[in-house]
Each structure stands twice: as structure tokens, then as C-alpha cells.
Amino acid sequence: MIDIKSIFSSDGALARNFPEFRERPQQLEMAEVIADTITNRQVLVAEAGTGTGKTLAYLIPALLAGGKVIISTGTKTLQDQLFYRDIPTARKAINIPVTVALLKGRNNYICHYHLEKCLQDSRMSFDSREEAAYLPIIERFAQNSVSGDKSELNVVPEHAAIWQHVTSTRESCLGSECPSYKKCFVMEARKQALLAEIVVVNHHLFFADVMLRDEGLSELLPACNTVIFDEAHQLPDTASLFFGESISTAQLLDLIRDTLAESIRSAADFTELPTALAKLEKSVRDLRLTVTGENTRLSWQTVQNNSEFQTTLRHLIDQQTNTLKLLENQAERSEGLENCRQRAAQHLYLLERWCNDSEMRDHIRWLEVFHHALQLNATPLSIAEIFKRQMISIPRAWIFTSATLSIKSDFSHYNHEMGLSEVRTATWDSPFDFSEQALLYVPSGLPEPSHPNYIDQLVQAALPVLHASQGRAFFLCTSLRAMQRVHEILSSIESLPFPLFLQGQGSRPHLLERFRATDNAILIGSQSFWEGVDIKGEALSLVIIDKLPFASPDDPVLSARIEKINQAGRNAFMEYQLPHAIIQLKQGAGRLIRGETDRGVLMICDPRLITKTYGKKIWQSLPPMKRTRDLQDVVQFFHAIETKEQLSGT
């Protein structure tokens, strides 16, 4: 039996294989607790501060334990990092011949059938010549690739429109009826996952499968001994998304497009179908026009009294019903038409269910309005019972880990939200010396965030700090509107000597690469940059947060959950809103100190951190930094950093 303690020692297997490895008592203790949890098939909720090395702390016990292990990550980027870098190195270090597989959602793999349709269809239109030029590149890749994973084809951007034409969805996949079924990349990935001892997935895939039994995990889970969720703080939102239901006008229009193409190929003599599809398309587009605005969320109550919306939705359902009847008469003429029939039936089911008050009594109905589309959503009031049912089906070890799960080492909020009972909890603080490495600065004199000039004033308060840090800053905002305003103000200052990067001006990896390569940049971002970003060293010395990240009370899902908690006689703010804000703030603050030699300032501009009684609970949940409200302390802190850098350079 391999001794875990020796593996994590300063002269152990990990130290010999990971150049950056440092012996950390917290990491060893975490690894031992996880090993015990796996052995006894328990449930563990573990918070490990930045720098603990939690990845290796769960990988080594998982590799040693034997049996089948599913590791679910927060992002596909982390999924790739685990599969291509961390697991191979750890496996080599301890010399364990464990088989590993990477499994992603089907839309990450090229679909031979849809690619062939694209190549054959002369009527195919693309948004640009560039998009059209990608097609032969993808064709060559599909002919030579073993995995068919689109992430391996770097020359075609991840979000290029061409991908939606050459990959499949759960709806558009023909399954075993597909003429390319035997060489399907998705099926091959699933086959490898079934054979492997360690399977790396992501949260979206995990929950898509739990609910839809579609992505290959339904066969994996019964044989699985251990499930490990990394970045587990994301699970409540991800689970809510997949335990809910949605149907959009974009999905309906895709179905209409696909059905029309299939009818031309396989049922050209049946003229009733194109006529019905034209009527259905008009109803779909008319529904979008009944709701004003875009990029917003509306509650069910908002449209309940909108007679035009209700009438148009009813008419759309009637047209969908008629189209389905016609498809039922023609479906046997081709696999493609049969697939369209199945999709039409599912869409009709979701539309009718969304309108049914009794079936939606435990759900929150709401609408998401986009520029050209409208999405009807139904989100469970609580995911706790649904998730609990998934866990108790077969005894196995469940491990939930992240740097941000607790409020002052109290996990009750997270456990309640996830439906976790009889769980083991553990906290390991970061090994970094935050009292020496970091300073928390809350400026004086700023108004409440509700003040109309709040953003303008906080930027003015941030300017001397930006000069003291010589740029090298993340400016994290709680909304896109605030982000744009911050960028607008800073861009208007001609004398500002720092390059500005704005979220949306390129992909996140591209912006981060440019930020790292620039000595004095300021990156202004919103949600995308609050977590999952790792900038070590001098490139990032300042993180500015515009205000405490309370979710907007106008959000229909949040509003309904708050109402339910308050109606039960409890305090929704303290029980739900505040814990969510603290966990989100901890994520943003976690961008600052990423290494043992990092030093920097966390500037939280929101005066409520000081003026409100709950403010103490918030800052006590952050790493133990020195605190100040004096700008001069900040200037001196950065002066000390600059002096140290100069001395180290001589």
C-alpha cells in the first residue's frame, strides 16, 4: 500500500515530478481526508484556500483508490488541464497504470452526418467568406482526427458560427439510425469513458446527463465508486439550469429550418408541410414581437396579463400541433424526418407544460429576451430534493471542493442549497501569508451604490490607486453597464498611461494573454473574470471591485425564491442573498494572490462593507488581510513592493 504522506513529502514522488511542488501540511491533510472519504463512501464538502493544491489533494487519493471515479470540473478549460496535464503527471509520479478518458457534451465533437449535409447542400449560406473557408479545414480535420474534439482545431475559433452546422445537439442527433453511427466521435468518446477508470467531465455534462440520460454518463454512474466535483460552488446554478426546462423561439426556428430541408430531400411531393412550416415560422416570429426590450429577464407575472403574448403563444401551440400531425404522416420516409417529428413532439410538450399552472407549481416561470429570440424557462424553486434523490440511488463517495463554499467556515448555506445531509465538512486555509502579502482597502467618502453618480465617483477614487500600482489591475464590475461606464471614463482620460483591455474585445484567453504580456495594463471585466482566472506574479497587483455582488432583486428566479423564504417566516436576505454575495466576493478577491511571492491590494469600493451591520460578516469571510481606509497606506504598500522589486533586480 502506497503511503500518501510520503507522496506529498518534500522529497516525495510529487516533488520529483512537479517543479512547482511545495510541501504543504494543508494539502497532505486534505488528501488524507479525501482518501478516508473514498474508502468509507461518505460525503465530503471541503473548502481549500488558494494555494492549498486541492487538485493533487483529490487526484492522488482518486488514482490510488481503484474503482471507477468521475471528476467533474467547472469549465472545459479546467477539464482539458486535468486530462492533458495534471492527471498524466500525477499518474507518472506515483506509477499507477490507471486508464483515463475525457468526455464532453456532444456539441464539442464534429458530427459526420451534419458535416456531410453541409458539404452537399449547395443552398448553405454563411455569414462571411471566412466562415465558408472553415468548412474544408473542418472536413480535413474530421478525416484525420482520432477524437473529433473541436478544441483540437485551433485555427477555427471556438464560437465560430460554422460549428453549429457541423456538430449535433441532443435534438438533432439521429442516434443509432445515423448512417455515420459506426464512426461517430461522440459514441467513441462514450465507449472510451465506459472502459476508463477515471473519467473527466464538466458540470454541464454531468447534470445534462442526470436529467436527460443522454450524454453517456447514465451507463457510467451505476458503476462509479466516487464522484468528485471541483469548483463545486458553481453546482447550485448549474443544477438549477439543468433541473429546469426551457424552450426558445431559436430552437423552434432551427427545427423549422431542418424540417424544411428534410422535406425537400425526402418528401418534396408533400406540399402541405412547407405551407404549415411557413405559418409556424410566422407564429414564432410574432411571439418575439409581443415582448419589448432585449437582453433582459421577465417574470411570468409580467406576461400573464399581456393578452397579445398569451394569444400569440396559444396560436403558436396550435400551429406546432398541426405541424406535428403532418410530420407523423411523413416521418417514416427518412431518418431525418423522424428526428424532426421527435423534436416537434418534445417542443410541443414543453410549450404546453410551460402554460400549465398545476404542473408548474414547484417551478418559477420566466422569460429571457434576446435581440432576435425569446426563451421560456421554468426553474425549480429548490434543487435540494432533486439532487438528493440522485445521490441516494447507489452508495458511493461524493466529494465537493472549492476555494469558496463556506461563510466563515460554516457550510450550512451550501449544504442546505444542495440538499446535503449527514455530510463531513472540512476547511483548509490558504498557506499564503495574507497579512503580509495583501491589503484590503475600502475608500472613504463614496456614496451608496444606488447614487446616480456612484460609478463616476468610484473611478475617481480608484485613479490614485491605479497610479500607485502602475496599472497591473483587474477592475471587476458587477454588471455589464457598470463595466462599460468604467471603461468609458478611463478611456476619456488622455493622460492615463495604462493600456485598457475590456471584456468582449476578444476571447477571455486572448485578453488574458495580452494582459500578461503587458507590464502595466488594466483589464475591465464583469462576470467572466470573477473566477477561473490565474495570474501569478507582478502582472496583477491590484483588484478593484465596484460593489458588493448582490444579485439583482429584479431577477425573476431570485425574486421568487426570496418571496418563498420570507413567506416561511425566515430572513431571505441573511439566509440566501448575503451568503451568495459573500461566495461571489470571495471568488473575485481570490484573483489577487495566486502565489507565495505575490503581493497586492484588494480595493472594494462599496461603503456598505463598513456602514452596514452585515459588512463585518463579509470581510471576516475574506482571507485575513490587513485593512485600511487610508489612501496613504495603499501608496506606501505599493512603494514597498516597488522597492523590493528594484532590490531583487539588482
Side-chain angles (χ1 to χ4, degrees):
M1 180 68 181
I2 300 175
D3 178 27
I4 283 184
K5 186 175 289 188
S6 66
I7 294 173
F8 285 91
S9 67
S10 58
D11 58 352
L14 294 177
R16 292 192 297 271
N17 287 272
F18 285 86
E20 71 278 12
F21 181 84
R22 299 290 182 275
E23 184 176 7
R24 302 179 183 93
Q26 299 95 326
Q27 186 181 43
L28 171 60
E29 188 178 322
M30 183 178 180
E32 289 175 332
V33 169
I34 288 175
D36 187 63
T37 301
I38 293 173
T39 299
N40 295 295
R41 297 194 172 186
Q42 296 173 325
V43 180
L44 172 68
V45 180
E47 182 176 87
T50 306
T52 304
K54 63 181 170 63
T55 303
L56 286 174
Y58 67 70
L59 274 184
I60 297 302
L63 289 167
L64 292 173
K68 200 170 192 77
V69 180
I70 294 176
I71 301 174
S72 182
T73 70
T75 63
K76 285 183 285 188
T77 302
L78 181 55
Q79 198 182 350
D80 286 338
Q81 179 183 309
L82 275 169
F83 181 74
Y84 291 109
R85 192 186 74 183
D86 296 339
I87 294 177
T89 309
R91 183 174 54 184
K92 178 185 173 186
I94 60 175
N95 195 26
I96 297 288
V98 173
T99 53
V100 186
L102 179 69
L103 187 61
K104 299 181 181 179
R106 64 171 69 250
N107 64 342
N108 289 278
Y109 302 96
I110 293 168
C111 170
H112 290 290
Y113 175 75
H114 286 93
L115 173 61
E116 193 62 31
K117 276 206 320 183
C118 238
L119 292 166
Q120 291 177 355
D121 198 339
S122 59
R123 295 176 298 276
M124 191 80 190
S125 62
F126 295 98
D127 296 334
S128 66
R129 287 184 178 179
E130 186 180 32
E131 289 287 338
Y134 289 144
L135 194 56
I137 297 173
I138 294 172
E139 181 187 15
R140 286 194 298 273
F141 175 74
Q143 290 170 349
N144 298 300
S145 173
V146 174
S147 71
D149 185 343
K150 69 180 188 181
S151 68
E152 296 178 9
L153 189 59
N154 297 325
V155 293
V156 181
E158 182 184 358
H159 299 293
I162 185 68
W163 287 123
Q164 65 183 317
H165 298 293
V166 297
T167 58
S168 70
T169 64
R170 182 176 64 89
E171 296 175 334
S172 65
C173 176
L174 299 180
S176 58
E177 299 299 317
C178 178
S180 301
Y181 183 75
K182 288 185 178 179
K183 60 178 182 177
C184 174
F185 288 125
V186 174
M187 296 311 299
E188 180 58 30
R190 291 181 181 180
K191 185 165 65 175
Q192 294 303 319
L194 283 169
L195 296 171
E197 293 156 284
I198 306 270
V199 185
V200 184
V201 301
N202 59 65
H203 300 339
H204 281 74
L205 175 64
F206 185 91
F207 285 105
D209 181 76
V210 165
M211 291 310 295
L212 304 172
R213 291 288 181 263
D214 176 64
E215 299 293 353
L217 287 178
S218 53
E219 296 175 79
L220 292 176
L221 274 174
C224 173
N225 303 94
T226 304
V227 178
I228 300 173
F229 292 109
D230 197 350
E231 299 300 312
H233 65 278
Q234 298 178 5
L235 292 181
D237 286 342
T238 307
S240 289
L241 175 66
F242 283 99
F243 290 168
E245 300 169 6
S246 68
I247 178 70
S248 73
T249 56
Q251 284 175 279
L252 292 166
L253 290 173
D254 283 347
L255 173 60
I256 291 167
R257 182 199 65 204
D258 292 348
T259 305
L260 185 59
E262 289 294 344
S263 70
I264 291 170
R265 287 190 194 95
S266 308
D269 57 329
F270 190 66
T271 56
E272 287 182 68
L273 188 53
T275 303
L277 289 170
K279 291 179 180 178
L280 177 58
E281 181 176 357
K282 184 178 186 308
S283 297
V284 172
R285 298 192 185 281
D286 285 348
L287 185 69
R288 171 61 187 89
L289 298 175
T290 64
V291 180
T292 57
E294 61 181 77
N295 298 322
T296 187
R297 293 179 166 192
L298 302 174
S299 67
W300 161 252
Q301 289 76 15
T302 305
V303 295
Q304 197 172 19
N305 300 318
N306 181 336
S307 58
E308 186 183 6
F309 173 85
Q310 295 293 340
T311 301
T312 308
L313 179 57
R314 192 68 253 170
H315 182 65
L316 190 161
I317 290 173
D318 290 342
Q319 293 297 331
Q320 182 77 3
T321 302
N322 182 54
T323 302
L324 177 59
K325 288 178 180 176
L326 294 174
L327 275 168
E328 286 171 345
N329 289 329
Q330 301 294 314
E332 63 183 21
R333 298 179 71 169
S334 75
E335 295 93 341
L337 281 173
E338 170 57 22
N339 175 260
C340 291
R341 182 200 65 77
Q342 292 173 10
R343 291 163 63 186
Q346 178 65 12
H347 291 349
L348 180 60
Y349 166 79
L350 290 172
L351 287 167
E352 291 181 328
R353 183 170 153 79
W354 197 81
C355 296
N356 190 313
D357 292 344
S358 62
E359 292 196 19
M360 289 286 106
R361 62 183 178 275
D362 294 325
H363 287 71
I364 304 154
R365 280 176 284 183
W366 53 285
L367 290 86
E368 199 158 8
V369 187
F370 303 100
H371 183 58
H372 292 299
L374 192 65
Q375 183 159 303
L376 313 183
N377 302 289
T379 303
L381 273 165
S382 170
I383 64 161
E385 289 302 319
I386 307 172
F387 188 69
K388 187 187 295 185
R389 287 198 297 271
Q390 305 302 325
M391 289 185 62
I392 63 176
S393 56
I394 297 175
R396 62 172 62 90
W398 295 81
I399 295 157
F400 303 79
T401 184
S402 169
T404 55
L405 291 176
S406 74
I407 311 299
K408 292 174 59 179
S409 299
D410 179 2
F411 293 89
S412 56
H413 166 73
Y414 184 81
N415 292 345
H416 176 75
E417 195 169 21
M418 291 297 295
L420 305 176
S421 57
E422 299 180 15
V423 302
R424 184 178 188 178
T425 61
T427 307
W428 291 277
D429 293 331
S430 169
F432 301 151
D433 187 355
F434 278 92
S435 62
E436 289 297 318
Q437 291 180 251
L439 180 68
L440 171 60
Y441 172 51
V442 182
S444 302
L446 284 179
E448 290 275 309
S450 57
H451 191 281
N453 293 322
Y454 177 71
I455 297 296
D456 298 58
Q457 292 191 44
L458 78 84
V459 172
Q460 293 306 313
L463 279 173
V465 185
L466 288 165
H467 281 284
S469 69
Q470 300 174 55
R472 303 189 294 180
F474 271 12
F475 210 129
L476 301 180
C477 300
T478 51
S479 69
L480 292 173
R481 184 180 300 173
M483 180 189 81
Q484 294 290 352
R485 181 58 185 153
V486 168
H487 182 257
E488 182 183 333
I489 297 169
L490 291 177
S491 299
S492 69
I493 303 173
E494 293 182 6
S495 60
L496 194 72
F498 313 119
L500 299 178
F501 299 139
L502 178 68
Q503 175 182 319
Q505 289 179 337
S507 68
R508 190 171 82 157
H510 176 65
L511 285 176
L512 290 173
E513 186 179 331
R514 292 178 64 196
F515 180 85
R516 286 188 183 96
T518 310
D519 291 336
N520 60 344
I522 301 170
L523 193 154
I524 307 160
S526 185
Q527 190 66 38
S528 294
F529 291 90
W530 279 72
E531 58 180 277
V533 176
D534 193 2
I535 305 278
K536 291 182 180 178
E538 299 172 9
L540 181 61
S541 299
L542 171 64
V543 171
I544 303 172
I545 293 177
D546 68 337
K547 65 178 183 178
L548 299 176
F550 289 108
S552 170
D554 295 333
D555 181 272
V557 176
L558 176 64
S559 177
R561 286 178 174 163
I562 289 172
E563 184 181 356
K564 184 188 179 187
I565 293 170
N566 288 335
Q567 283 177 349
R570 309 199 308 270
N571 186 326
F573 179 79
M574 296 301 293
E575 183 181 318
Y576 189 81
Q577 293 168 274
L578 182 61
H580 269 259
I582 290 174
I583 288 173
Q584 180 69 16
L585 185 67
K586 286 170 71 175
Q587 279 292 327
R591 299 315 99 214
L592 183 63
I593 304 298
R594 307 298 299 176
E596 294 173 351
T597 60
D598 287 4
R599 285 169 63 84
V601 170
L602 173 64
M603 178 179 178
I604 301 177
C605 301
D606 196 329
R608 293 176 295 179
L609 196 64
I610 306 298
T611 61
K612 300 297 184 183
T613 55
Y614 58 76
K616 185 176 182 181
K617 189 170 186 177
I618 295 176
W619 60 254
Q620 284 182 337
S621 295
L622 295 172
M625 312 174 190
K626 289 178 181 176
R627 303 185 303 277
T628 186
R629 304 206 71 192
D630 189 340
L631 176 61
Q632 197 55 40
D633 290 341
V634 177
V635 174
Q636 290 175 358
F637 184 90
F638 280 119
H639 179 69
I641 294 177
E642 186 180 0
T643 302
K644 186 176 180 180
E645 288 172 357
Q646 289 172 347
L647 289 173
S648 64
T650 58

